[in-house]
Amino acid sequence: MRYIVISNNQTIPVAEIPVLAYGDFFELNTGLVAGHPERHCVNYFGYPVGEKIKLFCCIADDNTHQILISSCLVGRSDELAAFSGKVLSFEKFEREIHENFGITFSGHPWLKPVRYPCNRADQSQEIANYPFWKIDSEELHEVGVGPIHAGIIEPGHFRFICNGEQILHLEIQLGFQHRGVEPLFLEKKKLLQRTILAESIAGDTVVGHTVAFAQLWESLCGFKPVEDIDFARTLALELERIAIHTGDLSAVCTDIAYQLGSAVFGRLRTPIINYMQEWGGNRLGKGLVRPGRNQFPFTRTLADRLREVLDLYEPDFEEMNHKLFRLPSALSRFERTGTVSYEDLLSIGAVGMAARMNNLNRDIRASHPYAFYPALKHEPVVKHHGDVYSRVQIRKEEIRQSIGYIREMIGHVPAIAGSGKLNEEPRPDSFTLSLVEGWRGEICHCAMTGPTGELVLYKVKDPSFHNWLALALAVRNNEISDFPICNKSFNLSYCGHDL
Amino acid sequence: MFENLKILFHQGKQFIPNVTTAKVPGIFRGRPVISRAETDVEALVEICPVDAISAAPVSIDLGKCTFCGECARAFPEKISFTQDYKISTNIRERLVVQEGDDRPIEVDPAKVREEIHRILGRSLKLRQVSAAGDNSCEWELNAANNVQFDMSRFGIDFVASPRHADGIVITGPISRNMAEPLQLCYDATPDPKMVVLVGTDAISGGIFAGSPALDRSFLDKYPIDLYIPGNPAHPLTIINGLLDLTRKRKGK
Ligand code: SF4
């Protein structure tokens, strides 16, 4: 076998992952993805083994619900034929491997820095001196935005090349938010420290990233979560989705100067996040998800309260939708603005709602279900235009869908079973991968343990890792004044990307 | 038009009339109270993920605490978190809550710089800099300005340019990659100016403290006018902290 097949959240001995020669590794992985939109790379990364680097490539197959993993040992100074020369969607992974270890990929379109991590191979490069791509022309002008932006928002540098009011090209350089999350997972030895780290990867996806960490850890320790744990996590994931989608609808209204929508959606987010606090003591869900236990069991009383919250939310939400989605001045700003084609989304490996906005059906809840999702039989919301309108519609319809799931679930709150104890130490020499569909899209955490069960590798991938490029493509040929709504309709993560 | 009015009417009154007395719903981990009960102090200190707890006397440093609540969960007879969200202060040491101490945490008027009242007291324009913040404190700062918390009714606003600002509000543990932009932003803010730290990550580095990806040297250079703890800081903590700082005068 040239690869090993696992399912989501399955732990395997590292030794069972086939080690291929680079030529075979190349053929296998590019061959799996090329011409197969149902397959995509969920993670591809390097791990130092002495002087060499071991590359691990994980390809998810959405039809068979499997993940196909292979590996390859290469030297740091090797020059390898780039996967992305054949299948572009590997380009970001290869840039990361290049940045971290110095491995060169020939035939790669652009080995642009990813995030200037503190342990990068080439320390002579500084983010402050990044040479942005330029076009020599008397007709064109550049607009630089960032790293600090005008609002209360995370930093990142956007460089536009414009022809008059029209955007010809946008280059996004990130890395300002880099905190060294991945090495910290190895340095911090206590489980609680690692859980807090997972909660801090991206504050708007606390539940998504923490569920990925918890599932991964439980799998490594051979712990099977009882029903009430899975139930609570799924509820929290869907509440997070409702909260952020509602907030983003408000933000999109703000950017088209539609005050009423901005205020109403903005205030509708509050009862949802206040409910998170009622349940677990934090509006963003910090402290709620813990590996191996149900920290704040979901009781019948909480179910009744949630029903009340949703009963109040729904009519006001629908009334506002009814108005917004019939308002010509709003629709004219949404429709055909910031479009990305299906072909482009596929070629850059877009995930989550950014993929689903134009027929690329990628949703881990359906393709690699976990926690309570197998029982929900999730059907992804898929749109067909790839524009702001499609993205806004996905928000609206996913909110409805999430409310539906929550209502269905809280009709039968499972009894608190009291789970077995989580083992202290993970299994030695093992590998695990956990996929979770956060509100933005696919979150992937991978971990590997050494001979005594100690963590030797931790990899985090936020959906924004892929989707920032979708934003850069979306704004091409649009007016620069439409950049804000394009940006907000995606609402990508800086810290989740920069780690 | 009629539809718009109907929508407006259906929202009811959303704003919180009194932000200093409002109650937070459900569980909330605000100012902790540490009893004098005997406990296994070593185990208590050990439990904390960010070394916020020290022994003899048992105390919690809210500048380091991530408000995870694990200490209170494991030692309920020793530690409890109250609903008190007013935990901002201008004195770093005041963030350390000791056993037996149930006093409110406040701004010390004697330590407030004179120009803060004179020049910045009535209308405060702030520039926010997220320096590797995880977007949770940024979220809550935005929420402080929504229709419910409505901080701008007190004359406190966030502005787009440091040139228009009276001070900067920092979130996040300050990454190496943000150290220079933060400095540039500070330098571009006209004098007199204040510096406010929001959230545990900004105050101490939080779970990221000691990471080689950080550069916190900026904080050694300038006085900090206000610490607003939390993970993230609650909008009511933010608003009360800023009001306390700008409205309190020596002798009043
Ligand atoms: S609540 Fe604060 S003091 Fe208590 S364990 Fe968590 S971080 Fe430490």
Side-chain angles (χ1 to χ4, degrees):
Chain A
M1 225 19 189
R2 292 182 303 159
Y3 51 79
I4 182 166
V5 174
I6 67 166
S7 53
N8 193 4
N9 296 312
Q10 185 184 342
T11 296
I12 47 165
V14 179
E16 283 182 15
I17 303 175
V19 186
L20 310 178
Y22 189 77
D24 296 337
F25 187 60
F26 177 98
E27 288 304 327
L28 170 72
N29 289 300
T30 54
L32 281 171
V33 176
H36 286 277
E38 77 283 9
R39 294 200 196 117
H40 70 287
C41 181
V42 290
N43 229 332
Y44 174 32
F45 53 85
Y47 168 69
V49 182
E51 279 307 291
K52 299 208 149 206
I53 303 293
K54 198 169 185 185
L55 301 174
F56 289 86
C57 190
C58 314
I59 308 286
D61 187 318
D62 291 351
N63 289 350
T64 59
H65 320 299
Q66 294 172 332
I67 300 146
L68 321 173
I69 305 174
S70 57
S71 70
C72 173
L73 204 58
V74 298
R76 283 175 198 258
S77 47
D78 285 2
E79 190 174 317
L80 306 172
F83 286 11
S84 42
K86 193 169 159 198
V87 181
L88 185 67
S89 57
F90 287 101
E91 64 89 27
K92 192 81 182 260
F93 297 111
E94 292 185 321
R95 276 162 57 194
E96 189 186 66
I97 295 168
H98 171 69
E99 183 170 53
N100 290 350
F101 305 110
I103 294 172
T104 315
F105 291 97
S106 60
H108 189 288
W110 191 5
L111 282 170
K112 173 182 155 65
V114 175
R115 60 173 78 87
Y116 289 88
C118 55
N119 50 0
R120 59 189 176 271
D122 184 356
Q123 292 285 342
S124 69
Q125 302 295 319
E126 290 287 337
I127 198 164
N129 310 329
Y130 174 70
F132 283 91
W133 195 67
K134 283 192 181 338
I135 302 180
D136 243 347
S137 160
E138 302 221 324
E139 318 270 299
L140 306 175
H141 68 278
E142 286 186 7
V143 181
V145 180
I148 303 175
H149 297 181
I152 305 177
I153 173 175
E154 301 174 73
H157 200 122
F158 299 156
R159 184 69 60 99
F160 299 89
I161 299 177
C162 297
N163 187 359
E165 290 293 299
Q166 206 180 45
I167 302 167
L168 207 60
H169 174 80
L170 163 62
E171 185 182 352
I172 302 171
Q173 183 57 49
L174 301 175
F176 298 94
Q177 295 283 74
H178 175 69
R179 299 154 293 172
V181 167
E182 288 176 347
L184 281 175
F185 266 101
L186 310 187
E187 269 162 46
K188 306 274 176 193
K189 302 295 179 203
K190 294 183 202 164
L191 179 57
L192 180 58
Q193 290 178 318
R194 289 172 174 161
T195 314
I196 304 264
L197 259 181
E199 284 181 337
S200 310
I201 292 170
D204 53 28
T205 317
V206 170
V207 182
H209 276 289
T210 318
V211 169
F213 170 72
Q215 292 187 345
L216 175 139
W217 194 260
E218 288 164 357
S219 171
L220 271 180
C221 296
F223 174 94
K224 179 93 192 69
V226 283
E227 192 192 359
D228 61 274
I229 295 185
D230 279 341
F231 179 91
R233 284 177 187 168
T234 306
L235 269 187
L237 282 164
E238 293 305 319
L239 281 167
E240 184 168 81
R241 192 179 320 276
I242 297 175
I244 306 276
H245 280 352
T246 312
D248 284 349
L249 285 173
S250 163
V252 167
C253 288
T254 309
D255 283 341
I256 58 167
Y258 182 45
Q259 263 295 324
L260 188 63
S262 162
V264 172
F265 288 123
R267 79 106 184 135
L268 277 170
R269 190 189 67 178
T270 307
I272 306 291
I273 56 178
N274 278 353
Y275 180 80
M276 292 292 270
Q277 183 190 302
E278 278 188 63
W279 179 11
N282 188 293
R283 305 212 310 162
L284 283 87
K286 289 188 176 182
L288 189 65
V289 180
R290 291 288 176 261
R293 65 175 196 241
N294 196 349
Q295 187 86 337
F296 294 94
F298 194 82
T299 59
R300 296 243 159 77
T301 325
L302 277 167
D304 293 340
R305 262 298 289 148
L306 184 50
R307 216 170 278 120
E308 269 169 44
V309 169
L310 295 177
D311 286 347
L312 287 171
Y313 174 98
E314 269 187 308
D316 287 349
F317 174 69
E318 289 304 343
E319 185 178 47
M320 196 60 244
N321 277 334
H322 184 83
K323 181 79 197 168
L324 176 66
F325 286 90
R326 275 170 189 74
L327 198 65
S329 56
L331 295 180
S332 72
R333 296 290 307 276
F334 295 165
E335 285 172 350
R336 287 182 289 278
T337 304
T339 306
V340 190
S341 70
Y342 171 83
E343 290 71 28
D344 282 350
L345 290 171
L346 187 64
S347 77
I348 65 167
V351 295
M353 54 156 279
R356 298 195 292 276
M357 70 185 183
N358 200 345
N359 298 304
L360 185 55
N361 188 349
R362 284 187 181 158
D363 191 325
I364 300 297
R365 292 175 287 174
S367 56
H368 303 270
Y370 49 93
F372 208 74
Y373 289 107
L376 288 176
K377 304 220 177 348
H378 171 65
E379 289 208 10
V381 175
V382 177
K383 293 290 156 194
H384 316 289
H385 300 287
D387 53 2
V388 172
Y389 185 66
S390 290
R391 294 190 283 280
V392 175
Q393 271 199 312
I394 289 190
R395 311 285 194 157
K396 174 186 74 176
E397 291 179 25
E398 287 197 341
I399 290 172
R400 288 181 184 150
Q401 193 182 41
S402 296
I403 292 177
Y405 290 154
I406 291 174
R407 286 197 186 278
E408 186 183 327
M409 288 175 70
I410 60 180
H412 317 271
V413 178
I416 309 303
S419 39
K421 217 176 134 37
L422 184 71
N423 282 337
E424 293 281 309
E425 282 298 323
R427 286 185 219 163
D429 295 315
S430 300
F431 176 88
T432 305
L433 177 150
S434 179
L435 291 169
V436 164
E437 185 77 12
W439 64 269
R440 278 191 187 94
E442 164 193 308
I443 294 166
C444 179
H445 288 205
C446 296
M448 203 156 70
T449 58
T452 58
E454 80 282 12
L455 212 49
V456 294
L457 171 116
Y458 202 88
K459 282 301 290 176
V460 176
K461 197 196 64 171
D462 187 87
S464 309
F465 185 76
H466 302 285
N467 292 350
W468 276 109
L469 189 52
L471 171 65
L473 295 177
V475 300
R476 283 192 182 172
N477 298 321
N478 281 252
E479 301 277 301
I480 193 165
S481 53
D482 278 335
F483 174 71
I485 39 167
C486 290
N487 189 20
K488 294 287 171 55
S489 61
F490 281 96
N491 187 8
L492 299 171
S493 176
Y494 299 77
C495 53
H497 175 280
D498 294 347
L499 297 175
Chain B
M1 186 62 208
F2 184 64
E3 265 183 44
N4 286 349
L5 288 174
K6 216 166 74 184
I7 294 176
L8 275 179
F9 177 73
H10 286 161
Q11 308 311 310
K13 273 210 180 77
Q14 285 295 329
F15 75 100
I16 300 170
N18 191 337
V19 287
T20 57
T21 55
K23 291 259 179 297
V24 283
I27 319 169
F28 181 71
R29 291 184 283 275
R31 179 173 55 84
V33 176
I34 311 171
S35 76
R36 296 202 186 272
E38 290 288 317
T39 31
D40 180 351
V41 175
E42 211 176 299
L44 175 64
V45 170
E46 178 60 24
I47 212 169
C48 181
V50 283
D51 300 324
I53 306 180
S54 11
V58 176
S59 57
I60 296 182
D61 182 351
L62 297 185
K64 290 183 176 171
C65 175
T66 64
F67 296 83
C68 71
E70 295 291 340
C71 51
R73 186 185 173 88
F75 297 91
E77 73 298 336
K78 185 74 185 165
I79 293 174
S80 56
F81 282 86
T82 69
Q83 302 257 352
D84 183 4
Y85 48 76
K86 288 183 216 162
I87 48 175
S88 304
T89 176
N90 53 346
I91 312 292
R92 179 64 183 86
E93 298 75 45
R94 191 61 195 92
L95 291 177
V96 180
V97 175
Q98 296 191 349
E99 52 189 336
D101 178 0
D102 196 5
R103 290 174 301 151
I105 298 175
E106 289 171 323
V107 167
D108 178 352
K111 296 276 165 56
V112 179
R113 285 191 287 142
E114 201 252 333
E115 60 263 32
I116 289 186
H117 297 306
R118 194 164 42 84
I119 302 172
L120 314 175
R122 279 160 203 272
S123 142
L124 187 62
K125 305 287 171 214
L126 296 167
R127 177 68 270 236
Q128 206 274 319
V129 182
S130 166
D134 74 355
N135 202 20
S136 59
C137 282
E138 292 78 356
W139 239 60
E140 293 296 42
L141 283 164
N142 274 315
N145 263 321
N146 72 12
V147 292
Q148 282 118 344
F149 296 104
D150 193 16
M151 184 161 71
S152 46
R153 71 180 121 158
F154 304 110
I156 305 172
D157 285 304
F158 286 92
V159 291
S161 165
R163 304 257 184 237
H164 305 154
D166 304 317
I168 58 174
V169 173
I170 303 171
T171 54
I174 313 184
S175 57
R176 246 157 69 177
N177 292 349
M178 266 311 279
E180 189 186 336
L182 171 63
Q183 184 69 51
L184 290 173
C185 181
Y186 180 84
D187 293 343
T189 309
D191 286 320
K193 51 190 162 189
M194 56 196 251
V195 178
V196 177
L197 302 183
V198 177
T200 295
D201 286 355
I203 298 173
S204 67
I207 192 73
F208 301 105
S211 166
L214 305 187
D215 176 357
R216 294 174 56 75
S217 58
F218 175 88
L219 300 179
D220 303 330
K221 287 186 260 180
Y222 308 103
I224 306 301
D225 294 290
L226 187 66
Y227 300 92
I228 306 182
N231 181 33
H234 192 277
L236 289 172
T237 311
I238 297 169
I239 298 174
N240 279 287
L242 287 169
L243 285 179
D244 208 15
L245 177 72
T246 50
R247 300 278 158 91
K248 218 181 230 170
R249 257 171 242 240
K250 215 167 155 181
K252 271 208 172 174

